[in-house]
Amino acid sequence: MPLDHTAKGVYPIAPTPFDAEGRIDYASVDRMTDFYLACGSTGMTVLGVMGEAPKLDGAEALELATRFVTRAKGIPVIVGVSAPGFAAMRTLARAAMDKGAAGVMIAPPNTLRTDDQIVTYYRQASEAIGEDIPFVIQDFPQTFSVVMTPGVIRRIVQDNAACVMLKHEDWPGLEKISTLRGFQADGSMRPISILCGNGGLFLDFEVERGADGAMTGYAFPDMLCDIVRLQAEGQRDAAHDLFDAHLPLLRYEQQQGPTGLAVRKYVMAKRGIIASDAQRKPGASLTAKAKAEVEYLLARVARHDPRAGKTI
């Protein structure tokens, strides 16, 4: 089913598993997808920033997206289609939708400077890929250097019927969520889904502010699912207690660029979710000192969450 504004829960951002030679590890793709399903994920997002999408060629990107969609067994899969030009964006977007994707995610290019430029870009992007394709705004100023105010997001939503979701990664961003939900309450913006990123660093309060869940990485997506579920059940203290236990590791994994991804892949490999922590070049790997720090953090998390102590 096509993505719409009612989407909620947890949509893990899937890393791309590679082997030591830089080839896509499709067996790990299947195993990781099965893990996401087993832990209660309500959707998935592939070819995102932490999916090393720029390191894939067009054929690889479509083949990988298709593998995720096929293995996901009916839960919605969002495909990142951000590209320097609209031709490549359209090609991947239309092909991914033909293979069964639920929608696409579009990040703004870092050349945008004014509100009008941002609004125009998203209108043109939707026209380019086809206004029948549901799309997600990726609001990540720390990486893309494009600042979208709540008013700009409202303009994009109101101008584009195909815009159904915001991937919210502004920081600080709690007040932005409240403002957007206020726009919905006063009728000046139609409803959209809001899923949050930043490795889940603020998920405990983001859902309390009105976010519908998470769209992010983290080596314990099962914990993210638990946080969203506990909050929905009204178990606020239990949600915060679990979040607090993981916060030091969340923070450590949130290091920018390939280092943070190296932490995530290292832990996911230790948990048996993927076979290797390899990144395709150019990439990074953890030093012995960094691995020791991660092991220390895992041991501390395991005092409160036994899942952190179950590694292979």
Side-chain angles (χ1 to χ4, degrees):
M1 294 180 61
L3 191 69
D4 66 25
H5 71 277
T6 65
K8 61 183 179 180
V10 175
Y11 283 55
I13 294 284
T16 300
F18 295 106
D19 64 20
E21 284 71 44
R23 297 180 296 248
I24 297 174
D25 177 2
Y26 286 105
S28 286
V29 168
D30 292 346
R31 187 162 61 250
M32 178 170 53
T33 304
D34 292 347
F35 181 85
Y36 288 150
L37 289 165
C39 72
S41 302
T42 51
M44 291 176 55
T45 302
V46 303
L47 302 182
V49 172
M50 298 298 269
E52 299 179 74
K55 301 176 186 178
L56 306 176
D57 64 31
E60 286 180 315
L62 179 57
E63 184 177 4
L64 179 63
T66 302
R67 185 70 168 242
F68 277 116
V69 169
T70 301
R71 191 74 178 188
K73 302 174 183 176
I75 67 167
V77 175
I78 298 170
V79 177
V81 297
S82 304
F86 289 145
M89 184 186 296
R90 174 182 172 81
T91 297
L92 179 56
R94 304 247 22 125
M97 295 299 291
D98 287 344
K99 296 295 185 179
V104 302
M105 183 166 65
I106 302 173
N110 61 11
T111 54
L112 304 180
R113 290 292 177 266
T114 69
D115 292 352
D116 287 345
Q117 287 175 342
I118 298 168
V119 172
T120 298
Y121 177 82
Y122 275 97
R123 184 179 68 250
Q124 292 178 345
S126 184
E127 291 171 350
I129 65 175
E131 295 175 7
D132 57 322
I133 295 183
F135 75 86
V136 180
I137 304 169
Q138 186 170 11
D139 180 19
F140 196 6
Q142 302 93 283
T143 291
F144 302 125
S145 303
V146 177
V147 177
M148 301 188 207
T149 66
V152 166
I153 292 170
R154 175 170 59 180
R155 288 175 61 187
I156 296 169
V157 172
Q158 294 302 97
D159 286 355
N160 300 278
C163 180
V164 297
M165 180 186 289
L166 171 70
K167 186 186 180 188
H168 169 76
E169 298 193 89
D170 205 348
W171 180 356
L174 295 176
E175 296 301 331
K176 178 180 278 190
I177 296 171
S178 294
T179 299
L180 291 170
R181 290 308 190 204
F183 290 159
Q184 291 183 196
D186 67 22
S188 63
M189 187 180 82
R190 61 181 175 79
I192 58 168
S193 172
I194 300 177
L195 299 183
C196 299
N198 280 320
L201 273 177
F202 301 95
L203 183 61
D204 52 341
F205 284 110
E206 286 168 338
V207 290
E208 295 182 7
R209 290 293 190 111
D212 296 295
M215 184 195 290
T216 192
Y218 186 46
F220 289 84
D222 34 354
M223 184 279 286
L224 301 177
C225 291
D226 288 345
I227 296 296
V228 174
R229 175 183 55 80
L230 289 168
Q231 288 282 20
E233 293 173 352
Q235 299 188 57
R236 186 187 193 196
D237 287 348
H240 281 272
D241 288 345
L242 178 59
F243 179 85
D244 291 349
H246 278 262
L247 184 55
L249 183 59
L250 274 170
R251 180 196 63 180
Y252 196 90
E253 191 190 280
Q254 193 59 17
Q255 297 176 72
Q256 288 294 304
T259 300
L261 180 59
V263 175
R264 183 174 303 167
K265 283 191 163 185
Y266 176 77
V267 177
M268 292 180 76
K270 283 184 64 68
R271 299 189 74 195
I273 301 171
I274 56 178
S276 169
D277 64 353
Q279 296 181 35
R280 180 174 280 186
K281 297 177 182 179
S285 58
L286 296 183
T287 64
K289 181 65 174 177
K291 289 179 181 179
E293 290 167 346
V294 171
E295 297 292 345
Y296 173 73
L297 290 171
L298 283 169
R300 290 181 60 83
V301 174
R303 298 177 188 175
H304 305 279
D305 186 345
R307 290 173 294 200
K310 296 178 180 178
T311 57
I312 62 173

